Amino acid sequence: MGSYTLKSIGKSTDYMTIVREMDDGYVVRIVRDKDGYNDVTTDYISKTLFDSCIRTGYLTKMSTPADKTAVNA
């Protein structure tokens, strides 16, 4: 499992953490910086879409998790 930064406009520090891998995709936790507070959502992304996001640079692997919210929430 890993954490990925999301390509965004401006100085936003949005990121995504894979919570669980499934046969056809991933359950992910997405944390978005919304004017000083974190908007945390849990969602599903297919492996095909995930691979496409990596190839296009929309997602970039982080060497360490951004913070405990992404990993333990």
Side-chain angles (χ1 to χ4, degrees):
M1 297 196 210
S3 294
Y4 299 82
T5 57
L6 281 71
K7 188 174 189 176
S8 53
I9 298 171
K11 295 181 181 181
S12 183
T13 55
D14 302 340
Y15 56 92
M16 177 184 88
T17 300
I18 297 175
V19 176
R20 181 175 8 143
E21 183 174 357
M22 302 170 75
D23 291 336
D24 58 346
Y26 304 97
V27 175
V28 296
R29 176 158 292 114
I30 300 168
V31 179
R32 294 186 178 272
D33 181 9
K34 300 280 188 173
D35 295 326
Y37 73 92
N38 287 338
D39 177 31
V40 181
T41 57
T42 301
D43 210 340
Y44 170 84
I45 185 172
S46 70
K47 287 187 177 182
T48 304
L49 179 57
F50 178 83
D51 291 340
S52 178
C53 290
I54 293 291
R55 268 193 323 274
T56 61
Y58 183 75
L59 293 175
T60 305
K61 180 122 173 116
M62 299 170 64
S63 58
T64 58
D67 70 16
K68 293 176 77 173
T69 304
V71 177
N72 296 327

